[in-house]
Amino acid sequence: MTHQDIRKKFIDYLISHGHVELPAASLVPDNDPTVLFTVAGMQQFKQLYEHPDQAPSKRVVTIQPCIRTIDIDEVGDDTHSTVFEMMGWFSFGYTGSEDTLHGEDPYFKNTAIKMGWEFLTKELGVDPNRIRATYFGGDAKRPADVESKEILESLEGLSLIEATGENFWGPVGEEGPCGPNAEFYIDDTEVLNNVFNQYIRDTEGNYTQAEYRGVDMGTGFERLVAAIQGVPNIYETDLVKPFLQCVRAKSYNYNERHGRIIVDHVKAALYLLADGVKPGNKGRDYVLRRLIRRSVRAAQIVGFQEFEALLNMLADEYGTTRDAIAKNRDGAIALFLSERDKFLKTLQDGTSQLKKLIGNERGGEITGEQAFKLFDTYGFPIELTQEMAEELGWTVDADGFTDELNKHRELSKQGSEKIFKGGLADHDPQTIAHHTAHHLLLAALREVLGDHVVQRGSNVTSERLRIDVAHPEKITDDQIKTAEDIVNQKISEDLPVISEIMDRDEAFKLGALAEFGAKYPDKACVYSIIDQDGEVFSREFCGGPHVMFTGELGHFEIIKEEASGAGIRRIRARVVPRT
Ligand code: SER
């Protein structure tokens, strides 16, 4: 069954059960200031649960694109996407009358659960043995949903039914309709979620019985297609696979995770751009900017450059179901590409600075000071400055550069640093997050306490990071707080973490911190964290792995500071992932 067949079957099935098909809403909600994006199909109908008389029909069906940035760090796994389509059916204004599958009246649990079962097993032909159901088992504040339990038990062929304390959904935003939900899983992937709006929650968190009850069913289209087509993940479906193949074919160093991130983020960016979001520094604009930047970074890792081709492919597919994409595709693609170019420019600021210095003039000399500025501000190695200058018939005052360098840095000290004696405990995402936090913390400590702060020992696990640093006295509470603030500031700036293979001696010249006593090959891997002005905040010899952007880290906190031998302080810290 193709993804087009599944779409059509869904709409046809609901129409034959008295539903009216309505267009999907914008990803930018216009009726709810408490949320950034459209995250669910019911959102455009939120008011109708309390005011069913305003509903164009008591039974409604839509296929609604939704964006969930909370899952952004999970993208790359088998089931999470930033933008996905939610197939939904909705019932408004149920007050306890008959609850029947056919007709045009509002319905509640009986019809909703039975339609879910019939749609999956009859329309899509899913073997009942692959299906498991869950319902709300109750908690301290709210009773178990026994009605759903009984209806599920009445379904012929369904044998796996579980109660959970988690099946309660909503409200979207701070207040509004919400209630228990009953879910169907195929092979352990959640595919269909019937929410029974029977409470109204207020901004204080109180629940009252709703005068009108209603249904909000959502089924993630891509996931459902994967389950029906019997493929292990959404990227193998006939819907998404062509995009991934495009990225794979045009990358010279392809890996699956980054390929998936590129497809996911570029698609999400296209949807947002088509809905009128512009990349920027605040709110939803910043989410868009971040998606584009992450896709560009992932593309650098796999060596993919054909964004325009990918964007056109995506627009061809999704323009058939999303009017905004059909209408605004050219403008959206142009904006994407210009934002990409801006970001590449930031990353390559050193290059553009150099070109600016040289201008159109033939012949001349770049002073030691200028070369040092390129190095210090943009992390631009002197050899590269020389090479590019030479191409344009210019020379560089290399001695002047060295003088400047000596004025600013005491290179001799940097040989005595010790990084990652303990190494990484594993490659768990939380361990990786702690690893990047470790680099940020060392840089922050050097900023607060001075360049004498070098690393004497280290250990990184998924629980916490530990760093031993050379420092003659106790680090005060104020200094700890300042270092903590700096790290959190760098996290909130969502800075790119760049790995480069560098000439060892060049890396030393660029101030890369090295592990004490370690021997590096002529070409060594160096990780740099570049701040918003293009300056190097942290640079260390390191084999990784690290997050792509510091914004992935969550909240950073220092847990403890203590002595650990003469002139050595030991700090334990951790990042608390955003939930
Ligand atoms: N609102 C529910 C969900 O997003 C069902 O549509 O899962």
Side-chain angles (χ1 to χ4, degrees):
M1 215 180 283
T2 66
H3 68 271
Q4 287 97 340
D5 295 337
I6 295 169
R7 250 182 217 287
K8 187 167 179 333
K9 272 185 190 285
F10 180 75
I11 298 292
D12 290 351
Y13 176 78
L14 274 304
I15 289 176
S16 74
H17 287 73
H19 291 69
V20 169
E21 186 185 2
L22 293 180
S26 167
L27 285 169
V28 178
D30 61 4
N31 63 349
D32 192 341
T34 66
V35 289
L36 213 51
F37 290 115
T38 294
V39 298
M42 61 78 75
Q43 227 163 302
Q44 64 166 323
F45 307 128
K46 201 172 154 181
Q47 267 76 9
L48 302 183
Y49 288 97
E50 285 173 78
H51 307 283
D53 48 309
Q54 294 169 11
S57 162
K58 302 288 186 279
R59 298 184 175 203
V60 165
V61 54
T62 62
I63 300 183
Q64 173 69 55
C66 298
I67 179 160
R68 293 190 180 170
T69 49
I70 203 96
D71 294 338
I72 201 164
D73 296 331
E74 313 228 25
V75 168
D77 74 359
D78 287 351
T79 54
H80 287 90
S81 350
T82 312
V83 158
F84 60 97
E85 287 179 87
M86 186 84 100
M87 306 201 287
W89 64 61
F90 308 92
S91 156
F92 310 111
Y94 181 78
T95 51
S97 47
E98 250 194 305
D99 182 358
T100 52
L101 259 66
H102 291 277
E104 279 153 25
D105 294 333
Y107 55 84
F108 203 44
K109 297 177 184 178
N110 181 53
T111 296
I113 291 176
K114 286 186 177 159
M115 284 202 303
W117 180 249
E118 192 173 282
F119 178 64
L120 292 178
T121 58
K122 300 268 159 29
E123 294 294 312
L124 299 180
V126 179
D127 177 352
N129 292 319
R130 290 174 67 194
I131 301 181
R132 174 168 68 87
T134 59
Y135 67 93
F136 185 53
D139 62 16
K141 272 185 167 169
R142 301 156 304 202
D145 183 6
V146 268
E147 293 161 310
S148 290
K149 175 177 188 272
E150 280 163 15
I151 299 162
L152 287 168
E153 283 168 353
S154 77
L155 298 175
E156 208 170 312
L158 176 65
S159 51
L160 289 168
I161 303 171
E162 283 163 24
T164 84
E166 273 159 28
N167 281 27
F168 196 95
W169 205 91
V172 172
E174 286 160 15
E175 38 77 46
C178 54
N181 63 290
E183 294 170 355
F184 285 120
Y185 288 71
I186 299 179
D187 306 334
D188 273 341
T189 299
E190 179 199 332
V191 292
L192 194 149
N193 182 15
N194 264 309
V195 180
F196 304 117
N197 286 321
Q198 61 188 64
Y199 302 105
I200 304 294
R201 201 190 100 132
D202 65 22
T203 42
E204 262 100 66
N206 306 308
Y207 295 86
T208 48
Q209 296 286 340
E211 182 183 352
Y212 299 106
R213 283 165 277 169
V215 175
D216 150 30
M217 192 296 297
T219 185
F221 178 53
E222 292 84 349
R223 280 185 195 186
L224 183 66
V225 174
I228 299 306
Q229 295 184 345
V231 294
N233 60 64
I234 57 174
Y235 296 93
E236 297 293 321
T237 60
D238 68 341
L239 174 63
V240 189
K241 197 171 182 173
F243 309 127
L244 202 68
Q245 273 168 340
C246 162
V247 173
R248 188 182 296 149
K250 291 172 172 152
S251 299
Y252 58 75
N253 191 22
Y254 183 78
N255 75 67
E256 182 73 8
R257 191 172 102 84
H258 288 105
R260 291 177 177 191
I261 289 172
I262 294 168
V263 170
D264 174 88
H265 287 10
V266 175
K267 174 183 163 189
L270 175 68
Y271 267 89
L272 286 173
L273 287 159
D275 275 355
V277 181
K278 304 251 182 324
N281 285 329
K282 274 206 242 91
R284 51 179 79 94
D285 303 352
Y286 188 62
V287 172
L288 171 59
R289 170 161 284 168
R290 191 163 170 234
L291 284 165
I292 296 176
R293 289 179 163 200
R294 286 173 62 100
S295 71
V296 173
R297 284 283 298 123
Q300 285 190 326
I301 289 166
V302 299
F304 172 78
Q305 296 184 338
E306 307 285 329
F307 279 100
E308 196 168 351
L310 176 62
L311 280 156
N312 273 304
M313 264 185 98
L314 287 161
D316 287 346
E317 168 69 37
Y318 294 105
T320 62
T321 50
R322 183 77 168 161
D323 287 348
I325 291 180
K327 267 213 313 252
N328 305 329
R329 59 181 287 167
D330 292 347
I333 292 174
L335 258 176
F336 183 104
L337 296 175
S338 90
E339 177 69 12
R340 172 202 60 181
D341 293 345
K342 258 192 234 162
F343 181 49
L344 285 175
K345 229 176 257 153
T346 306
L347 290 178
Q348 296 164 354
D349 237 352
T351 314
S352 53
Q353 270 309 107
L354 179 70
K355 290 202 171 128
K356 228 188 272 159
L357 274 181
I358 289 175
N360 287 327
E361 301 209 32
R362 304 293 311 170
E365 185 175 73
I366 292 170
T367 66
E369 243 177 14
Q370 288 171 325
F372 181 75
K373 180 154 194 286
L374 285 169
F375 156 71
D376 193 42
T377 311
Y378 303 101
F380 217 42
I382 179 75
E383 287 83 353
L384 195 56
T385 306
Q386 281 170 324
E387 208 173 283
M388 293 188 63
E390 259 165 40
E391 269 168 30
L392 297 158
W394 281 54
T395 55
V396 180
D397 179 4
D399 291 342
F401 171 80
T402 310
D403 290 345
E404 287 295 320
L405 196 63
N406 287 339
K407 264 193 246 162
H408 288 80
R409 304 250 158 127
E410 292 171 321
L411 279 176
S412 56
K413 276 191 179 171
Q414 294 178 354
S416 62
E417 291 170 4
K418 192 173 181 183
I419 307 260
F420 287 113
K421 189 178 170 208
L424 279 201
D426 54 60
H427 282 194
D428 172 274
Q430 194 55 17
T431 309
I432 294 171
H434 282 138
H435 188 192
T436 306
H438 188 281
H439 283 220
L440 287 170
L441 177 58
L442 179 60
L445 289 169
R446 288 166 66 89
E447 205 168 292
V448 176
L449 305 171
D451 281 355
H452 65 277
V453 172
V454 292
Q455 188 176 300
R456 292 297 188 184
S458 143
N459 183 266
V460 176
T461 70
S462 62
E463 304 296 310
R464 52 106 187 99
L465 64 93
R466 201 186 69 207
I467 183 170
D468 294 343
V469 292
H471 185 61
E473 60 212 24
K474 183 167 175 53
I475 306 174
T476 67
D477 289 352
D478 277 355
Q479 289 166 332
I480 287 286
K481 174 86 175 63
T482 311
E484 211 173 57
D485 288 350
I486 292 173
V487 172
N488 277 314
Q489 177 61 27
K490 299 300 168 193
I491 290 172
S492 73
E493 286 167 10
D494 201 22
L495 306 174
V497 184
I498 314 279
S499 72
E500 286 161 289
I501 304 295
M502 277 193 193
D503 182 84
R504 177 192 52 219
D505 299 331
E506 182 185 298
F508 273 121
K509 275 193 212 155
L510 289 173
L513 302 178
E515 193 177 329
F516 177 63
K519 301 248 183 301
Y520 294 101
D522 291 350
K523 302 262 177 221
C525 186
V526 171
Y527 272 85
S528 307
I529 301 172
I530 313 291
D531 77 13
Q532 284 180 324
D533 303 320
E535 293 197 35
V536 174
F537 174 68
S538 152
R539 176 166 279 159
E540 300 190 24
F541 283 98
C542 178
H546 284 280
V547 300
M548 286 207 295
F549 282 87
T550 58
E552 289 163 37
L553 294 192
H555 185 76
F556 173 83
E557 59 194 27
I558 291 176
I559 309 161
K560 196 171 179 190
E561 189 273 349
E562 63 191 339
S564 164
I568 311 273
R569 310 301 303 181
R570 171 167 288 187
I571 298 177
R572 288 189 173 79
R574 67 172 166 233
V575 290
V576 184
R578 275 179 296 259
T579 47

